[in-house]
Amino acid sequence: MNLMMLLEMAANGLEDRVAVGTRAEGLTYRQLFDHSRQAAVRYRTGNVDAAVICDESSPAVPVALFGAAWAGIPYVPLNYRLPADDLLALAHRVGSAIAVADETNQHRLNALDGFEAFTAADFTSETHLLNEPDLPEWPTDPEQVAVLLFTSGTTGSPKSAVLRHKHLVSYILGSVEFMGAADDEATLVSVPPYHVAGVAAMLSSVYAGRRIVQLPRFDADTWIDTVEQEGITHAMVVPTMLTRIVDALDARGGEPMLGLRALSYGGGKMPRPVIERALELFPITNFVNAYGLTETSSTIALLGPDDHRIAQYSDDPLEQQRLSSVGRPLPGLEVAVRDDHGNDLGPGQVGEIFVRGEQVAGEYQEQGSLLDADGWFPTRDGGFVDEAGYLFIQGRNDDVIIRGGENMSPGEIEDVVLTHPGIRDAAAIGVPCREWGEKVVLVLVAGPQRPESDEISELIRSRLRSSRVPSHIEFCEELPYNETGKLLRRVLRERYAALGDTPTE
Amino acid sequence: MVELKPGSKLQSTVCATEVMVVKGVGEVDLTCGGSPMAPAGTVEISGTPADGAASGTQIGKRYGTTDETIELLVIKAGEGSLAVAGETLDVAQAKSLPASD
């Protein structure tokens, strides 16, 4: 079981179809296969521990990913925006590597022992192709490590998640139909290579036979123009990207976009007003909300196109509410919700989400496997499953606010606030205070018609227990997100720490 | 009989079919085109599939036994059909999941 098997099948079945790039100039599946072979020769000749990418998206990304699989070494994408010290600290943990890097990072990495860094163009250029007739077959051991992904470290120092060939191959075989894409389909990849969705996008597109078009630096206007000019049929975005796309389309006059057949989103909480507006601006697009983690080889649950449209047009509050859910688990994947003592909870009861399945890795280099004896992985995400089996996520357990001994998840407060038409984005945080241990501070981004704080408090009071009503409501221009769309609650807690000693409004 | 192990590759001896074992362990009476399969790359293809065992395999499709203990992914198509202990294997139901990444 090796990722190369997926590419070999595509190369045999689709030969001359373009795998990555523009229809006129992109690499075909056969060329991608040949380049991956050359990359494997390079890795094996260099006898390195890892294949590193420290660069924005380019065709070198799938070449390195598959080349590493062929050579039997882990593919390790690093965040190319990291400050030098942070990058070098991660690189040290990798060992020796052949890297693809932009100019700045090339200099940094080449200064390290055991590192040899190329630009993406040099790495894939024909003139650098090496001849090595005796390259061995790729290893078939399913336990071989395929990818090491450093988690974003929003709560501490980055850990490296281990994904083995068996996890990623299971994920692809379980969720993608081989050659399922028509030959006019193309997917626009805007997430960076070091995001698990960036890895999964390469694998699932290759196996489906869907052409990959990469957008190295996301910008809403470029995204819209690329969709139109490149005949894009599929795209995946994180919530902050969709917010900007919706704004940009509205700024262009709010004309609906009709060419895009499927738009999936995930990687964080989607504000309700944004998804509702997006459903109007993409009136015939199939929307998919995907929930997944790095440790689970990407998507584990999804809310499909029909549920989106039903929610859009339904008068039934239950069906409308589904727009806030992440849908149902993929086939072959089990989801359980448990309380603090490990007891299984029933429908509607909030606890920690556990998952089990062949694609679930749940392993870090630093801590080893986090799976329990029965193979369940604790996601650290809180949430519940409704009567119909729809999964609702209410935020990281690390983000739980404990006020006067009562645990509350920021998500339940944010979900209520985001139903207000005047609110664009919301974050509830716990700020340490003497009286309550923590008190609730609600940070809001308002639309053109900014509501009064009292109105927001009243809305929360009408839907939730009074302990959920925030002590302070603060408005700001924009919430802090990292570049892959994760809300940086730590930054907010620091920014509003002084409110802990401020009397409640 | 041939040894099954998840991740291992097997070839037909009478057609171009190659499979990867997704599920299944141990010695199994697995045939393709009526002849026992072999570990990939070990046998020259010769002859043709037997009558009644020549309905073909499709690349990318998964074939399994009805009790779901054995599942094979076809990675190269051929003219023979797959069978375990004489029972022809069917294509596992195709999934129709929307693209999520």
Side-chain angles (χ1 to χ4, degrees):
Chain A
M1 213 175 269
N2 185 294
L3 296 179
M4 266 309 296
M5 182 192 79
L6 308 175
L7 176 56
E8 185 187 34
M9 289 170 71
N12 287 337
L14 298 164
E15 285 283 341
D16 297 329
R17 196 187 276 192
V18 173
V20 51
T22 60
R23 197 177 288 283
E25 291 173 358
L27 292 180
T28 65
Y29 288 96
R30 178 55 59 193
Q31 289 171 322
L32 178 57
F33 183 90
D34 291 342
H35 274 94
S36 302
R37 186 182 195 283
Q38 300 303 336
V41 171
R42 210 192 280 278
Y43 295 136
R44 288 192 70 101
T45 312
N47 195 22
V48 288
D49 300 324
V52 163
I53 284 267
C54 187
D55 198 358
E56 52 193 31
S57 284
S58 76
V61 167
V63 169
L65 171 61
F66 287 109
W70 194 326
I73 56 172
Y75 166 75
V76 188
L78 299 175
N79 184 345
Y80 52 88
R81 292 191 185 90
L82 288 176
D85 289 353
D86 294 352
L87 174 69
L88 296 181
L90 293 187
H92 267 298
R93 286 159 68 176
V94 169
S96 64
I98 286 175
V100 174
D102 56 46
E103 224 169 287
T104 306
N105 287 309
Q106 193 184 10
H107 289 302
R108 290 168 171 175
L109 292 173
N110 271 335
L112 287 173
D113 268 351
F115 265 75
E116 191 183 357
F118 296 86
T119 63
D122 283 346
F123 189 72
T124 50
S125 96
E126 300 285 341
T127 57
H128 282 69
L129 293 188
L130 311 164
N131 277 317
E132 171 53 65
D134 298 326
L135 179 68
E137 264 283 285
W138 48 83
T140 54
D141 181 4
E143 300 295 332
Q144 189 104 32
V145 176
V147 178
L148 291 177
L149 278 177
F150 285 95
T151 59
S152 52
T154 49
T155 53
S157 90
K159 295 176 290 186
S160 57
V162 179
L163 298 176
R164 299 176 187 274
H165 283 275
K166 63 175 182 181
H167 301 122
L168 291 164
V169 173
S170 300
Y171 171 62
I172 297 303
L173 297 186
S175 62
V176 184
E177 197 193 335
F178 178 65
M179 286 170 59
D183 68 358
D184 68 335
E185 291 185 16
T187 188
L188 184 56
V189 177
S190 314
V191 287
Y194 54 85
H195 192 286
V196 68
V199 175
M202 297 301 121
L203 301 175
S204 48
S205 305
V206 162
Y207 198 63
R210 189 174 293 118
R211 180 165 63 99
I212 296 166
V213 177
Q214 295 161 309
L215 185 61
R217 279 171 302 266
F218 177 82
D219 163 84
D221 285 302
T222 316
W223 187 92
I224 295 164
D225 295 340
T226 308
V227 166
E228 284 173 351
Q229 288 155 15
E230 274 295 317
I232 299 297
T233 56
H234 290 63
M236 191 269 166
V237 292
V238 299
T240 41
M241 292 176 185
L242 191 58
T243 304
R244 288 178 194 165
I245 291 163
V246 162
D247 287 350
L249 284 172
D250 275 334
R252 292 179 180 205
E255 277 296 306
M257 283 188 84
L258 302 176
L260 198 66
R261 290 176 212 165
L263 180 59
S264 76
Y265 59 93
K269 184 174 280 295
M270 177 66 76
R272 273 287 275 280
V274 174
I275 186 64
E276 284 168 2
R277 183 67 186 132
L279 284 163
E280 292 168 355
L281 287 167
F282 297 88
I284 57 172
T285 301
N286 288 323
F287 280 78
V288 172
N289 182 5
Y291 166 67
L293 296 93
T294 302
E295 301 88 333
T296 60
S297 315
S298 199
T299 308
I300 52 177
L302 54 85
L303 184 77
D306 294 351
D307 284 319
H308 278 84
R309 294 300 170 188
I310 290 169
Q312 182 184 10
Y313 294 112
S314 174
D315 295 325
D316 179 352
L318 201 72
E319 287 177 344
Q320 291 174 347
Q321 190 57 31
R322 298 258 159 83
L323 220 40
S324 303
S325 99
V326 296
R328 288 188 270 215
L330 299 190
L333 230 137
E334 297 169 273
V335 168
V337 181
R338 296 179 181 169
D339 68 14
D340 292 345
H341 308 290
N343 303 311
D344 280 318
L345 297 171
Q349 291 181 290
V350 177
E352 181 174 356
I353 295 160
F354 284 69
V355 292
R356 179 164 76 173
E358 288 179 351
Q359 70 181 73
V360 178
E363 180 187 351
Y364 298 103
Q365 271 194 317
E366 296 76 14
Q367 296 159 280
S369 173
L370 298 188
L371 305 186
D372 71 12
D374 298 317
W376 290 94
F377 173 66
T379 63
R380 306 285 305 148
D381 278 338
F384 66 93
V385 175
D386 75 5
E387 292 283 351
Y390 287 79
L391 178 61
F392 289 76
I393 307 297
Q394 296 194 319
R396 300 294 287 171
N397 282 4
D398 312 294
D399 299 328
V400 162
I401 302 167
I402 307 174
R403 177 186 182 275
E406 192 179 352
N407 288 17
M408 54 186 96
S409 74
E412 56 177 323
I413 302 169
E414 292 159 6
D415 281 346
V416 168
V417 176
L418 287 171
T419 61
H420 193 290
I423 298 301
R424 310 259 340 236
D425 207 355
I429 52 168
V431 170
C433 82
R434 257 207 338 232
E435 192 182 358
W436 295 101
E438 277 186 325
K439 61 183 174 185
V440 181
V441 172
L442 184 60
V443 187
L444 299 174
V445 179
Q449 264 114 44
R450 172 173 156 171
E452 293 298 319
S453 296
D454 288 350
E455 196 182 328
I456 298 296
S457 295
E458 210 36 60
L459 174 67
I460 296 168
R461 203 186 316 276
S462 70
R463 302 267 200 94
L464 300 171
R465 267 174 277 174
S466 62
S467 55
R468 271 66 174 168
V469 177
S471 304
H472 302 272
I473 294 180
E474 301 287 325
F475 285 89
C476 66
E477 286 294 308
E478 207 167 55
L479 294 178
Y481 287 94
N482 73 8
E483 59 275 13
T484 58
K486 276 212 174 72
L487 177 62
L488 297 171
R489 291 179 193 273
R490 185 171 34 106
V491 172
L492 288 175
R493 280 194 287 265
E494 284 161 17
R495 188 189 297 168
Y496 295 106
L499 291 174
D501 303 320
T502 310
T504 298
E505 285 159 4
Chain B
M1 300 288 261
V2 62
E3 173 88 19
L4 297 198
K5 203 177 93 193
S8 63
K9 285 194 216 168
L10 306 173
Q11 66 163 93
S12 171
T13 55
V14 294
C15 74
T17 299
E18 261 187 45
V19 301
M20 188 200 69
V21 181
V22 177
K23 219 188 285 175
V25 274
E27 294 279 321
V28 174
D29 174 17
L30 172 65
T31 56
C32 180
S35 299
M37 296 194 80
T42 60
V43 180
E44 287 285 331
I45 298 166
S46 64
T48 49
D51 287 346
S55 46
T57 54
Q58 286 173 275
I59 187 169
K61 298 288 184 198
R62 290 200 274 184
Y63 293 76
T65 52
T66 43
D67 65 359
E68 294 182 1
T69 54
I70 294 172
E71 193 173 287
L72 310 167
L73 173 75
V74 172
I75 56 179
K76 276 198 193 114
E79 283 103 51
S81 24
L82 298 163
V84 168
E87 290 280 321
T88 303
L89 304 186
D90 290 327
V91 176
Q93 200 60 38
K95 293 158 296 290
S96 58
L97 283 179
S100 65
D101 46 36

